[in-house]
């Protein structure tokens, strides 16, 4: 088993190691960092807070780009599993095993979203942090606020089934 996060809910921390799942956390950080450093070079007077904001602006576009990469690399449709200390690309065939400790509604929402999203424009994100189970389709051009609203169920664009999965 992989090392678990002591702060995370134990039911979410112990997910199986499956060979088709890909740890994408470092790739996401590299995508965000390259963009933020590029912006820092343009605006050399950026403060630490401004640099953090620039990095946060790149979070969801980076998630979408990384998910599209793994879709195109032959992993097929899937979702990004976001836990407190990890992000993984989970192919559709592994969703049941990786989300086995979540509610049935959450697993159903994940399967439905994964079957219907546009893998070249969107990513399905399953956020499992501190007892919160959330499934959302985010787009590469979503602002961080819009993407977070989708993940927390405070968006009109979330389907009723997805809202039920996270309430």
């Amino acid at each position: 088993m992989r090392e678990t996060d002591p702060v995370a809910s134990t039911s979410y921390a112990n997910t199986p190691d499956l060979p088709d799942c890909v740890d994408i956390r470092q790739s996401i950080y590299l995508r965000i960092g390259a963009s933020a450093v590029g912006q820092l070079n343009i605006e050399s007077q950026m403060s630490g807070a401004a640099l953090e904001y620039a990095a946060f602006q790149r979070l969801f576009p980076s998630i979408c780009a990384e998910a599209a990469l793994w879709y195109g690399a032959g992993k097929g449709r899937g979702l990004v599993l976001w836990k407190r200390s990890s992000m993984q690309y989970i192919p559709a065939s592994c969703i049941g095993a990786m989300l086995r400790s979540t509610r049935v509604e959450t697993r159903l929402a994940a399967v439905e979203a994964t079957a219907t999203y546009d893998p070249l424009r969107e990513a399905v994100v399953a956020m499992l942090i501190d007892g919160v189970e959330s499934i959302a389709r985010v787009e590469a051009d979503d602002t961080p606020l819009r993407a977070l609203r989708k993940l927390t169920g405070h968006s009109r664009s979330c389907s009723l089934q997805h809202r039920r999965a996270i309430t």
Side-chain angles (χ1 to χ4, degrees):
M1 283 308 259
R2 73 175 56 95
E3 186 176 339
T4 59
D5 180 2
V7 180
S9 166
T10 56
S11 63
Y12 298 149
N14 298 318
T15 54
D17 284 321
L18 298 173
D20 289 335
C21 300
V22 181
D23 181 354
I24 61 172
R25 184 182 57 182
Q26 291 300 323
S27 298
I28 297 289
Y29 291 162
L30 288 172
R31 286 177 186 274
I32 291 170
S35 176
V37 168
Q39 191 166 352
L40 181 61
N41 289 336
I42 293 168
E43 304 169 21
S44 60
Q45 300 300 322
M46 279 179 104
S47 69
L51 186 58
E52 286 178 15
Y53 179 75
F56 186 63
Q57 288 290 106
R58 293 291 310 146
L59 176 62
F60 292 102
S62 297
I63 288 172
C64 289
E66 194 66 21
L69 173 98
W70 288 104
Y71 168 79
K75 293 292 184 182
R77 289 179 172 275
L79 61 78
V80 173
L81 178 59
W82 180 4
K83 296 189 294 184
R84 179 172 296 284
S85 62
S86 70
M87 280 191 182
Q88 293 178 290
Y89 186 77
I90 311 298
S93 61
C94 300
I95 290 174
M98 292 301 289
L99 298 181
R100 72 172 184 252
S101 62
T102 63
R103 295 188 320 266
V104 171
E105 295 87 0
T106 302
R107 289 192 299 274
L108 291 174
V111 168
E112 177 197 348
T114 303
T116 59
Y117 80 110
D118 178 353
L120 300 179
R121 284 190 36 244
E122 302 174 299
V124 177
V125 178
M127 186 174 71
L128 305 177
I129 299 175
D130 295 334
V132 174
E133 297 177 8
S134 181
I135 306 291
R137 290 166 48 162
V138 298
E139 297 179 34
D141 62 351
D142 276 347
T143 64
L145 183 58
R146 185 181 319 143
L148 288 172
R149 283 182 175 161
K150 287 178 181 181
L151 280 166
T152 58
H154 299 293
S155 170
R156 290 189 179 115
S157 64
C158 287
S159 74
L160 180 59
Q161 184 173 7
H162 294 174
R163 286 178 190 234
R164 283 189 197 134
I166 59 177
T167 56

